[in-house]
């Protein structure tokens, strides 16, 4: 019953064809019956019913029954005219399940049908009939091929949607939960190193704030996992002319909004880095090169900046200043960052080595997928990164 359960439309059409054939046979009451004709009729109708259970085998038996009956002729075997619809169904199913088997089967079936039709007392020859029967079965095979193609296309689309949902969940877990917990741990460590009770309470309070944020994000991720279809981001659309704000302002973000978001992000990261005991420079452009930007570009840029700042807190030394700059070129934005690795990581191949780990590796994949590049270098304790993110993201 696997075929019937997977493709119920096949079972439905097969049963409908079986009923139509039985009605047509009953209507042919003037034909003389014998055991041979009755046995072949039972076999041919069982072949049609077999399509409902085993589509491929039933289709092959149905085509065989039709071709054999057509070649022998109605003098020996009686086939109801409605059986032709069952044959068409069988040809379409063979191409649907066993592509490209349906096309040669349709050609052979069309030729056999034309030869059998020419043997009847008609004025049509086999070549003329073949010009009708072969295209008929070929059209049915094309329909089966298109149906199989659509099913494969839908399967690929569902797989891509599943992967997008996985990437979305991974982004939530790493960029929010993991980073918030990391900040909380660093703040708690900083509070343990200070002897000032007021400063210690402030650091603990900040750590609790980050933990509360991570708890909120955890519940959001749980909702994402429980309802993946509703949480999958919509397919990203790319407007052809980003310079026209009236038609596309709903899809693009104005540079003033982008600047406010970047400035807020830099201010927040500076504060967190300062609370964790880091000192450095975050240089932002005073203006942006373009007027309109895609939401995907803005999200990717902000996420990369947050990931870089998190890596500073995880792996950089607080004894040396960090530097991060953001430059707007004509075709892309360039993010540069450098810091000094902590002593305990200076002699190891940790996340600050030239091979990125987890977050930076994921952002490298996303940026390279958009046509950009991420370069990571390590010279002694100095670690640097250069990310080029094109505007067409």
């Amino acid at each position: 019953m696997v075929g019937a359960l997977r493709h119920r439309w096949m079972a439905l059409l097969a049963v409908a064809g079986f009923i139509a054939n039985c009605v047509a046979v009953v209507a042919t009451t003037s034909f003389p019956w014998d055991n041979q004709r009755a046995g072949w009729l039972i076999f041919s109708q069982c072949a049609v019913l077999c399509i409902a259970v085993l589509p491929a085998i039933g289709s092959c038996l149905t085509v065989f029954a039709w071709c054999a009956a057509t070649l022998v002729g109605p003098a020996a075997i009686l086939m109801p005219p409605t059986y032709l619809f069952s044959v068409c169904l069988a040809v379409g199913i063979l191409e649907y399940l066993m592509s490209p088997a349906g096309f040669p089967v349709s050609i052979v079936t069309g030729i056999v049908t034309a030869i059998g039709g020419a043997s009847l007392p008609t004025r049509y020859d086999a070549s003329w009939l073949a010009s009708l029967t072969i295209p008929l079965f070929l059209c049915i095979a094309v329909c089966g091929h298109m149906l199989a193609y659509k099913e494969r296309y839908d399967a690929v689309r569902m797989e891509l949607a599943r992967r997008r949902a996985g990437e979305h969940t991974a982004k939530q877990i790493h960029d929010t939960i993991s980073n918030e917990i990391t900040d909380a741990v660093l703040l708690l460590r900083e509070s343990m190193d200070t002897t000032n009770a007021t400063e210690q309470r402030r650091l603990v309070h900040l750590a609790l704030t980050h933990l509360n944020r991570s708890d909120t994000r955890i519940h959001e991720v749980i909702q994402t996992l429980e309802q993946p279809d509703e949480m999958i981001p919509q397919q990203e659309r790319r407007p052809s002319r980003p310079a026209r704000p009236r038609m596309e302002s709903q899809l693009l973000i104005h540079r003033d909004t982008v600047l406010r978001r970047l400035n807020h992000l830099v201010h927040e990261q500076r504060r967190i880095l300062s609370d964790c005991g880091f000192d450095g420079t975050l240089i932002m452009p005073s203006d942006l090169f373009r007027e309109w930007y895609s939401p995907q570009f803005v999200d990717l840029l902000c996420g990369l900046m947050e990931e870089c700042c998190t890596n500073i807190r995880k792996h950089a030394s607080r004894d040396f200043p960090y530097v991060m700059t953001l430059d707007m070129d004509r075709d892309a934005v360039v993010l540069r960052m450098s810091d000094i690795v902590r002593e305990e990581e200076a002699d190891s191949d940790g996340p600050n080595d030239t091979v990125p780990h987890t977050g930076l590796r994921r952002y490298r994949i996303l940026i390279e997928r958009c046509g950009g590049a991420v370069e990571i270098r390590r010279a002694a304790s100095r670690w640097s990164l250069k990310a080029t993110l094109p505007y067409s993201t």
Side-chain angles (χ1 to χ4, degrees):
M1 298 300 292
V2 177
L5 293 176
R6 288 185 55 192
H7 309 290
R8 295 183 180 180
W9 62 271
M10 295 183 187
L12 180 63
L13 292 177
V15 173
F18 171 79
I19 296 175
N21 295 334
C22 292
V23 173
V25 170
V26 173
T28 314
T29 55
S30 61
F31 196 90
W33 291 95
D34 55 28
N35 293 334
Q36 179 181 357
R37 296 191 182 96
W40 190 261
L41 180 63
I42 293 174
F43 168 76
S44 61
Q45 299 309 312
C46 289
V48 175
L49 279 180
C50 186
I51 296 177
V53 182
L54 301 171
I57 297 177
S59 298
C60 291
L61 293 177
T62 300
V63 173
F64 170 75
W66 171 261
C67 292
T70 302
L71 291 176
V72 173
I77 300 175
L78 174 65
M79 296 293 286
T82 55
Y83 200 82
L84 181 62
F85 296 100
S86 299
V87 176
C88 292
L89 174 64
V91 171
I93 289 176
L94 286 175
E95 176 58 28
Y96 174 79
L97 296 177
M98 305 170 60
S99 178
F103 288 105
V105 170
S106 64
I107 295 175
V108 173
T109 306
I111 294 174
V112 171
T113 303
I115 294 174
S119 63
L120 297 175
T122 61
R123 57 179 181 177
Y124 306 114
D125 58 3
S127 61
W128 187 88
L129 288 174
S131 65
L132 297 177
T133 56
I134 294 178
L136 169 64
F137 291 115
L138 281 177
C139 289
I140 299 299
V142 169
C143 293
H145 183 80
M146 295 301 296
L147 188 61
Y149 175 81
K150 181 181 182 301
E151 188 176 82
R152 291 193 297 268
Y153 173 79
D154 292 340
V156 171
R157 187 174 59 178
M158 290 179 62
E159 177 64 18
L160 291 176
R162 186 191 66 81
R163 292 187 179 184
R164 285 198 301 269
E167 292 179 355
H168 180 69
T169 304
K171 182 179 185 300
Q172 283 185 302
I173 293 175
H174 184 274
D175 292 1
T176 56
I177 299 174
S178 177
N179 291 350
E180 295 286 358
I181 293 176
T182 298
D183 292 339
V185 171
L186 292 173
L187 289 169
L188 289 175
R189 288 178 178 175
E190 186 71 15
S191 67
M192 294 172 63
D193 296 335
T194 182
T195 57
N196 189 316
T198 303
E199 180 66 12
Q200 190 177 49
R201 285 194 299 269
R202 187 183 72 86
L203 293 174
V204 171
H205 176 74
L206 291 175
L208 290 175
T209 302
H210 286 286
L211 290 176
N212 288 332
R213 290 178 184 174
S214 66
D215 180 69
T216 302
R217 298 299 185 183
I218 288 174
H219 286 87
E220 292 178 359
V221 172
I222 292 175
Q223 292 178 357
T224 301
L225 297 175
E226 289 178 345
Q227 300 175 346
D229 295 337
E230 298 180 6
M231 300 299 293
I232 293 177
Q234 295 181 353
Q235 186 176 4
E236 300 175 1
R237 292 177 287 176
R238 298 184 181 180
S240 57
R241 292 189 230 171
R244 296 175 56 189
R246 288 192 177 181
M247 295 295 294
E248 300 167 354
S249 58
Q250 295 181 351
L251 301 178
L252 302 178
I253 302 177
H254 193 264
R255 62 182 171 191
D256 293 340
T257 305
V258 177
L259 269 177
R260 286 195 297 269
R261 181 172 173 180
L262 290 176
N263 289 329
H264 175 75
L265 172 63
V266 169
H267 175 75
E268 184 72 13
Q269 293 301 320
R270 279 176 181 161
R271 182 186 61 79
I272 298 175
L273 286 167
S274 177
D275 292 336
C276 294
F278 291 91
D279 186 21
T281 304
L282 284 173
I283 301 177
M284 287 288 300
S286 58
D287 198 4
L288 302 182
F289 187 83
R290 295 191 176 187
E291 186 176 3
W292 296 92
Y293 297 86
S294 68
Q296 296 78 30
F297 170 82
V298 177
D299 291 341
L300 191 55
L301 176 59
C302 293
L304 178 62
M305 293 179 63
E306 289 184 5
E307 179 61 27
C308 289
C309 293
T310 301
N311 275 5
I312 293 175
R313 298 191 290 273
K314 284 183 178 180
H315 310 293
S317 173
R318 285 180 284 188
D319 298 331
F320 301 92
Y322 63 86
V323 177
M324 180 186 294
T325 62
L326 193 65
D327 299 321
M328 295 289 179
D329 293 340
R330 179 177 297 273
D331 299 320
V333 58
V334 180
L335 175 67
R336 294 181 176 89
M337 191 198 79
S338 64
D339 58 35
I340 302 297
V341 182
R342 290 200 302 263
E343 292 183 1
E344 55 268 29
E345 295 187 2
D347 298 328
S348 64
D349 295 336
N352 269 323
D353 203 354
T354 56
V355 179
H357 287 231
T358 315
L360 284 181
R361 181 174 63 246
R362 180 166 56 85
Y363 276 102
R364 167 182 273 182
I365 293 174
L366 293 175
I367 291 174
E368 290 179 349
R369 188 184 299 172
C370 300
V374 176
E375 301 177 12
I376 298 177
R377 295 181 180 180
R378 174 86 174 267
S381 297
R382 171 72 62 178
W383 186 88
S384 63
L385 174 143
K386 178 184 176 182
T388 303
L389 182 59
Y391 295 125
S392 58
T393 300

